[in-house]
Amino acid sequence: MKVNTRIFGEIDVEEDKIISFSGGIIGFPDYTDFTLVYDVEKDKEVSIMWLQSIDEPQLALPVINPLLIKEDYDPTIEDQYLEPLGEFDDDEAMVLVTVTVPKDITKMTINLMAPLVINTANKKAAQIIVEDDVPVKFPIYDILQERSKRKGGE
């Protein structure tokens, strides 16, 4: 299917790449179908991806694997919040967090309190508020810079 996007123009999205958030996501409860857009040639170790709405070209949220930033990130998620995703094993779970990029990119943060959990087997997903004492705004600019320097020096 063809999907119009603000950032990437018109893109082709295969049906099996559509991720469904039955309850929507925070701030956008009416939009439930998304796809992940990323540069397949870039190193995912420092790569930000985009959670692109299928229905709203203007809605694309930058997301990243939180383990790339905070290796000990292991949120406590009650089983009841995972029920809408269906049965899945740990290796079928993808956890992403949203990235906030202000005008001053040195103030870039990720939201560790509201991860996006995706069942990669059936593409059902949910944004979940965790009860752990984790920040909504965890600074990441310096971490990304350091990772980028290490990658360049190898």
Side-chain angles (χ1 to χ4, degrees), residues 49-150:
M49 299 175 280
W50 294 87
L51 187 67
Q52 173 66 53
S53 169
I54 297 295
D55 301 312
E56 175 49 62
Q58 299 297 316
L59 180 54
L61 302 172
V63 295
I64 195 166
N65 177 340
L67 297 177
L68 299 178
I69 304 297
K70 190 164 176 14
E71 293 174 3
D72 64 347
Y73 182 66
D74 186 19
T76 304
I77 300 173
E78 300 293 329
D79 288 344
Q80 70 194 36
Y81 299 120
L82 297 175
E83 285 176 9
L85 307 185
E87 296 278 329
F88 63 98
D89 297 324
D90 287 347
D91 62 337
E92 295 173 324
M94 175 186 275
V95 177
L96 299 171
V97 292
T98 56
V99 179
T100 300
V101 185
K103 285 189 185 211
D104 178 356
I105 65 167
T106 65
K107 306 277 191 249
M108 192 178 343
T109 61
I110 56 175
N111 180 347
L112 295 176
M113 188 170 278
L116 306 162
V117 181
I118 303 166
N119 176 341
T120 60
N122 65 13
K123 303 297 187 281
K124 291 183 180 181
Q127 186 170 27
I128 297 167
I129 305 297
V130 299
E131 301 200 15
D132 301 327
D133 185 21
V134 292
V136 172
K137 293 185 176 195
F138 183 82
I140 65 168
Y141 181 80
D142 291 339
I143 296 168
L144 290 176
Q145 289 295 99
E146 184 59 35
R147 278 190 182 272
S148 184
K149 284 179 191 171
R150 276 187 283 167

